[in-house]
Every structure is written in C-alpha cells, then in structure tokens.
C-alpha cells in the first residue's frame, strides 16, 4: 500500500481499494476500510506508523471492496463507524449487495465471495443524506442537504452527496482534500471494465458534472491516484462522463430492433470489446446496462414491453 500525503496530515492510502487517513492531535480518521481484514490491518499499521489512534472510520458506500475491513476494525478497536443512510443499512445487512446483483433472489455461490459479500458491521452514526433515487416520494433535491458538516473528535469534515455509482454514496472532505469515493474512475478502470458500475446513470453524470467545481485542492478517489483541482479532475470526470454517455448511446443503437436484456447486454459488451469471464463481472455489467435503460426510459426514448413471455426493450 502506498501512503501519499496530499496535504499536511492528510494521507491517501493507495492499494486495491484506496482509503484515506487524516491525522490530528494524536487521533486518526480513516475514510473507508478496504476489502477485508488484511486491508484494514494495513490501514491500522499506517495509523500506528504516524503515532495516532483511530478515532473513527467513515464509510462512503456499501460496496464490499470499500467497507469489508470495517468489521475487523470495529471488533478489534471498538472504533465508531459512520456511513450515509441506506448504504449503512446495506453494511449492516451485507446479503443485500449480492441479493440486488442477483435480481433479488438468493445469490449463487459465486456472488458470495468477499468482493460482493462483506462481513457485516454495525453503523454507529448514520448520516442523514438522501439522494434523489432513494428520497421519499414527493421530496425534491432542495429539501435534501447537499453538504453535511460533521465533527468527529478533532476533525471537522464535510460530507458531500455523490450519488449514482451507489444509491447514496457520499464523499468526505477534510481540509482541502476531498475523498470522493467511486464517483470517478481512473483511465485504467475505464479501459479494463469498459462499462463502469453505476446504479443510476443520470445521477452519476450529474455527480461527475458537479465534482470538478467543488472547492477542494485535491480529489482522492477510491481507485487510482489523486487528482489536482482544475484541469486534472475536470479531464478525469469528462472521460468518465463520455464513457457513460457512450454506454447509453450504444444501448440505444443496439435497440434498432427490440431486444431482451441478455441479448442487449451481449451486444453492448461486444461493441466495447469487453470480455466478461466471471458471472460476477456479468452481473455488475448488467447493472450498468439496466441503469442505461432506466435513463433512456426516463427520457422517453425507450419503453419496456411484454411479448410472448419475453420482456423486450424497444425504442419509442
Ligand atoms: Zn464502489
């Protein structure tokens, strides 16, 4: 794990999944907890190396690779955990991640590995941010706070909504460093996965639009190195936006004739030269294709219909 100091006392712990570590007055605030016990242990060693004890762990979203290590830290240190609403519920009931990937049915064995099924933890502080997707009926984005200031021990942080990649993902700003979770992926991820994971394509695009304008000097993502404010973060966000817009247009293009979801998924994957070699990769990619279909349906460009016991998508 690489330990990069982005500002005095604010570190980006770069590994398979990145974490953040802010230190002040002998205390440490960890942002995300990595995939598992091993990742969490590495974070703990980083904190010990800096001579601080962990005051709290803030978890940005309920994907196993970012909070899987939280249970270990909670049991080992009794450290309090913070997470946004809804994501917190999924962290406490981790079967929900493979359950939604598998369409709500009992997940197959392959979806029960640590990349999609983390050890559950108990969230001590649920942050009441609510994204549009999960807001109660009738609520508007105006009544939903965008930023949420928070004091955790000696740390004054700001919680910022970053919905789209996960339903209620947030980022955490400490001083001039913004830990922006999986709101933006590096070029290598775009190259490898092609269809970057999102549950709400419109919200992801809106988040990517907003991100470069936020008033921070450094942007520390959940994967890949940190970006500087200005051109660096703007370019990364533009590349991510362009990819998701391309995904949506390729889904639309593939609907020259009405298609069932599996056929559509295969055509879009082929068009991107994506080779899915595991069922997990298939289900993750399917979620992004379904998010593109939701977006197109919301815009009135496609509609769903039943034909001879087949669910088909067609252009309107
Ligand atoms: Zn994620």
């Amino acid at each position: 794990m690489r330990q990069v100091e982005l500002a005095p006392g604010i570190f980006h712990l770069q590994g398979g999944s990145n974490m953040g570590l802010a230190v002040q007055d002998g205390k440490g605030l960890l942002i995300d907890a990595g995939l598992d016990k091993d990742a969490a242990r590495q974070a703990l060693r980083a904190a010990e190396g800096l001579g601080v004890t962990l005051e709290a762990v803030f978890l940005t979203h309920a994907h196993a690779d970012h909070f899987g290590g939280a249970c270990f830290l909670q049991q080992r240190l009794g450290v309090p955990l913070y997470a946004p609403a809804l994501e917190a519920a999924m962290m406490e009931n981790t079967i929900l991640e493979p359950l939604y990937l598998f369409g709500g049915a009992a997940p197959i064995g392959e979806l029960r590995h640590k990349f999609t099924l983390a050890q559950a933890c108990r969230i001590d502080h649920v942050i009441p941010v609510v994204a549009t997707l999960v807001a109660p009926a009738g609520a508007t984005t105006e009544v939903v706070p965008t930023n949420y200031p928070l004091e955790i021990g000696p740390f004054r942080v700001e919680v910022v909504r970053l919905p789209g990649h996960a339903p209620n993902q947030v980022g955490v700003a400490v001083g001039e460093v913004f830990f922006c979770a999986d709101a933006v992926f590096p070029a290598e991820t775009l190259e490898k996965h092609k269809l970057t994971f999102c549950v709400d394509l419109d919200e992801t695009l809106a988040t990517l639009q907003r991100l470069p304008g936020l008033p921070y000097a450094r942007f520390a993502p959940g994967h890949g190195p940190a970006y500087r404010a200005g051109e660096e973060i703007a370019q990364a966000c533009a590349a991510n936006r362009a990819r998701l817009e391309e995904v949506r247009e390729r889904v639309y293009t593939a609907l020259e004739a009405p298609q069932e979801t599996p056929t559509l998924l295969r055509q879009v994957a082929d068009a991107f030269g994506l080779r899915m070699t595991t069922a997990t990769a298939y289900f993750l990619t399917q979620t992004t294709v379904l998010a593109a279909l939701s977006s197109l349906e919301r815009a009135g460009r496609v509609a769903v219909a039943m034909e001879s016991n087949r669910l088909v998508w067609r252009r309107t």
Side-chain angles (χ1 to χ4, degrees):
M1 196 169 58
R2 270 184 78 210
Q3 182 173 317
V4 182
E5 189 165 22
L6 296 175
I10 306 177
F11 299 86
H12 198 203
L13 307 179
Q14 299 171 351
S17 300
N18 299 334
M19 292 172 268
L21 178 60
V23 302
Q24 195 179 318
D25 305 338
K27 309 279 190 194
L29 170 65
L30 187 67
I31 292 125
D32 282 336
L35 172 67
D36 56 13
K37 205 188 281 187
D38 294 338
R41 270 204 195 95
Q42 285 185 303
L44 212 45
R45 274 201 290 273
E48 282 163 9
L50 293 163
V52 299
T53 52
L54 282 190
E55 174 80 11
V57 182
F58 194 105
L59 303 164
T60 59
H61 67 298
H63 288 164
D65 60 333
H66 294 272
F67 80 95
C71 173
F72 168 78
L73 294 173
Q74 181 164 60
Q75 288 177 353
R76 166 68 72 92
L77 309 171
V79 66
L81 305 182
Y82 290 71
L86 183 68
E87 302 293 327
M90 295 195 272
M91 292 165 189
E92 293 186 333
N93 303 276
T94 51
I95 191 67
L96 289 172
E97 185 175 4
L99 191 69
Y100 71 64
L101 285 172
F102 201 57
I108 52 170
E110 193 189 309
L111 287 171
R112 293 170 180 267
H113 56 59
K114 66 180 175 183
F115 293 95
T116 48
L117 179 55
Q119 258 192 294
C121 53
R122 190 194 65 253
I123 303 304
D124 304 279
H125 301 274
V126 177
I127 310 303
V129 287
V130 184
T132 313
L133 173 68
V134 296
T140 67
T141 45
E142 279 75 32
V143 304
V144 167
T146 302
N147 292 12
Y148 188 88
L150 197 62
E151 279 185 35
I152 304 176
F155 303 96
R156 285 188 59 83
V157 307
E158 194 156 73
V159 180
V160 181
R161 292 174 49 225
L162 299 171
H165 166 74
N168 212 16
Q169 175 178 256
V170 298
V172 180
V174 190
E176 60 190 36
V177 178
F178 183 42
F179 292 97
C180 58
D182 282 352
V184 58
F185 291 107
E188 302 76 66
T189 304
L190 298 187
E191 182 50 38
K192 185 176 171 201
H193 297 296
K194 313 289 185 191
L195 289 79
T196 47
F197 187 83
C198 70
V199 298
D200 190 317
L201 196 137
D202 294 335
E203 285 205 313
T204 307
L205 289 175
T207 288
L208 285 162
Q209 189 83 42
R210 200 160 45 84
L211 188 56
L214 296 176
Y216 307 110
R218 303 300 298 268
F219 294 80
H223 301 276
Y227 306 95
R228 292 183 188 283
E231 199 53 26
E232 264 187 38
I233 184 67
Q235 271 183 9
C237 289
N240 277 252
R241 276 209 322 272
R243 172 56 55 85
L244 288 174
E245 282 164 357
E246 191 185 346
V247 167
R248 187 169 56 189
E249 283 322 296
R250 286 194 192 246
V251 167
Y252 189 75
T253 303
L255 287 175
E256 207 155 36
Q259 304 282 5
E260 289 181 90
T261 308
T263 319
L264 195 52
L265 172 53
R266 179 166 52 86
Q267 285 186 6
V268 174
D270 286 351
F272 276 102
L274 173 67
R275 260 176 52 79
M276 296 173 285
T277 55
T278 62
T280 303
Y282 183 90
F283 287 116
L284 291 169
T285 308
Q286 176 177 260
T287 301
T288 301
V289 169
L290 290 171
L293 285 162
S294 297
S295 168
L296 290 165
E297 194 247 12
R298 207 177 272 154
R301 296 174 71 196
V302 308
V304 69
M306 291 307 300
E307 278 177 11
S308 314
N309 273 349
R310 296 186 317 137
L311 183 145
V312 294
W313 300 95
R314 56 170 68 252
R315 294 182 186 172
T316 51

